[in-house]
Amino acid sequence: MTQKTFSTTGAWCRPRRTDPASVLSGMMGWVKNSLVRQLDEVAARRHRSALRAEGVPLEVALTLAKDSRPRHSPFQQSLGQSGHRDWTQLRASKRWLDENDQDKLDLVLTSLVRTTRTKGAEFDIQEVTNILLSKSELSSFPSIQAFEHRSPNNEYRQGSRADLQRCLAHDQVRCLKGTLCVGDSFTSFGWDERLLLNNQGGSHHLSTARRIARELGVKVPLQLDHEHHVLDANAVHFIEQSVSLIVVPYPDLWDELKFALRREQIPVIPGCFRAPACYGDEAMVLPLSLRSDSATSAAAYLRSCGFVDLVDHLIEDLGAQQMRKKRLN
């Protein structure tokens, strides 16, 4: 079969021969590709349905597939702010009213920790087991004992009584009895054995004085205002039954996960919640209500992906607090 055509100038062109077999082959290829695409789409829909039936939120899975960063940083007890779990730091940093918010998580968190304040509380220097607000970087030391035996320790010298007095006479050691300082304070937690000194400076001299006093068997009385924090068992149990508190280490991933969950029509408790400092400087909390089956399933999926659920640690610390209380009684 031939077909006559005109060029753009109106002149006759050489006839172009069309092969019927190639036309048929092309049509069949187009039909086949179309069918393959349709079958692929059907298979993909079935696969997505199967995954959702298994509790996999696809939008979340796709979001996580693009992010290769660690899901969490392991908690290690150490000196400094990030060396302990301070549940007073678990708060709503930004909050807005939402008529659909039945959980009122920000209100629950305000009752999570009960605080007792004592003016001018007295302790011996040996009872101080963490220095919190030092200007020095202390997180590399697992304990105050390790910090005392740092090398070099220029403050220790001979470890004599004169060395002890020189350390205690340092301007930044302001917690000695009789020199009550408004800016410094003691903190303790019902779930943590350590007494924390919120000290604006002088950590090297104070820790060395602690070591020398122990070696010489000398008492060094300290006096500062003291705050003691304990977990409220009812609030912890309410949280355990009501929500999952997924820690997301990176704010950008926190935003993306929220959007992915909402695309899956999974409700997220409204608000902006900060995790305690030990979970990372920028860590955020993604709260999912157990009132929703889909949110419960999504929380289980995120835990299976390696994310930390703060509720597990709250329960753990409440148990430690109760055991400690029994020992003290």
Side-chain angles (χ1 to χ4, degrees):
M1 181 172 63
T2 60
Q3 181 179 355
K4 294 182 180 180
T5 59
F6 287 95
S7 71
T8 55
T9 60
W12 287 102
C13 296
R14 185 186 184 96
R16 178 165 51 88
R17 184 174 298 276
T18 304
D19 184 4
S22 64
V23 172
L24 181 60
S25 175
M27 292 179 61
M28 298 221 16
W30 179 85
V31 171
K32 179 181 177 182
N33 290 337
S34 178
L35 287 173
V36 167
R37 284 194 298 270
Q38 292 179 33
L39 290 172
D40 285 345
E41 291 173 1
V42 171
R45 284 196 296 271
R46 288 179 177 175
H47 183 59
R48 287 194 291 269
S49 298
L51 287 175
R52 286 196 173 95
E54 294 173 4
V56 177
L58 291 182
E59 295 289 345
V60 173
L62 292 172
T63 298
L64 294 179
K66 296 183 294 183
D67 192 285
S68 59
R69 291 173 293 183
R71 300 291 183 243
H72 70 279
S73 56
F75 167 73
Q76 294 181 340
Q77 195 174 68
S78 65
L79 295 185
Q81 184 178 14
S82 61
H84 64 283
R85 293 202 286 249
D86 184 354
W87 295 113
T88 66
Q89 297 174 343
L90 180 58
R91 288 287 186 270
S93 57
K94 187 186 296 181
R95 187 71 179 88
W96 52 88
L97 295 177
D98 189 317
E99 60 183 10
N100 297 321
D101 181 12
Q102 299 178 342
D103 298 275
K104 303 291 187 255
L105 181 58
D106 55 328
L107 297 179
V108 174
L109 293 180
T110 60
S111 63
L112 177 60
V113 177
R114 291 183 283 108
T115 301
T116 302
R117 295 175 175 83
T118 304
K119 298 286 290 184
E122 294 186 20
F123 295 95
D124 183 71
I125 196 170
Q126 299 303 320
E127 295 179 84
V128 175
T129 48
N130 193 10
I131 301 173
L132 192 59
L133 298 181
S134 173
K135 291 176 289 187
S136 303
E137 176 54 55
L138 302 181
S139 60
S140 59
F141 297 95
S143 66
I144 196 168
Q145 289 81 9
F147 185 49
E148 288 173 352
H149 289 85
R150 64 190 176 274
S151 180
N153 185 340
N154 300 320
E155 293 77 27
Y156 182 77
R157 299 190 182 183
Q158 303 301 315
S160 64
R161 285 182 178 269
D163 293 325
L164 173 61
Q165 292 304 317
R166 185 180 355 91
C167 286
L168 294 176
H170 188 265
D171 291 343
Q172 296 188 44
V173 180
R174 299 177 290 268
C175 53
L176 297 177
K177 185 176 179 179
T179 59
L180 191 61
C181 177
V182 176
D184 294 355
S185 63
F186 291 118
T187 300
S188 58
F189 303 96
W191 59 90
D192 190 320
E193 298 281 351
R194 297 176 297 172
L195 176 69
L196 285 71
L197 171 61
N198 303 299
N199 184 38
Q200 303 292 335
S203 54
H204 289 76
H205 290 81
L206 184 133
S207 63
T208 302
R210 183 182 183 277
R211 173 184 173 183
I212 297 174
R214 182 178 66 254
E215 293 174 350
L216 297 178
V218 176
K219 295 286 186 181
V220 178
L222 309 177
Q223 186 178 34
L224 287 172
D225 292 349
H226 174 219
E227 286 190 346
H228 181 63
H229 305 288
V230 296
L231 287 168
D232 184 278
N234 292 330
V236 173
H237 292 318
F238 180 83
I239 290 173
E240 178 187 8
Q241 296 166 8
S242 303
V243 296
S244 282
L245 302 174
I246 306 298
V247 181
V248 183
Y250 320 105
D252 59 331
L253 183 58
W254 181 75
D255 283 330
E256 291 179 3
L257 285 176
K258 278 201 308 179
F259 293 140
L261 288 165
R262 286 167 179 164
R263 284 196 297 268
E264 291 282 345
Q265 297 183 335
I266 296 172
V268 178
I269 295 175
C272 184
F273 300 91
R274 284 279 183 186
C278 62
Y279 294 96
D281 293 336
E282 297 183 304
M284 305 290 291
V285 177
L286 188 65
L288 298 173
S289 174
L290 302 184
R291 299 173 187 269
S292 163
D293 291 339
S294 62
T296 301
S297 178
Y301 176 73
L302 288 170
R303 287 193 296 269
S304 72
C305 292
F307 289 93
V308 170
D309 190 337
L310 287 185
V311 178
D312 295 334
H313 291 174
L314 274 171
I315 295 169
E316 179 183 318
D317 282 353
L318 178 61
Q321 174 178 292
Q322 292 171 337
M323 290 296 294
R324 185 183 180 198
K325 185 176 180 181
K326 287 180 180 178
R327 289 199 308 271
L328 293 176
N329 291 340

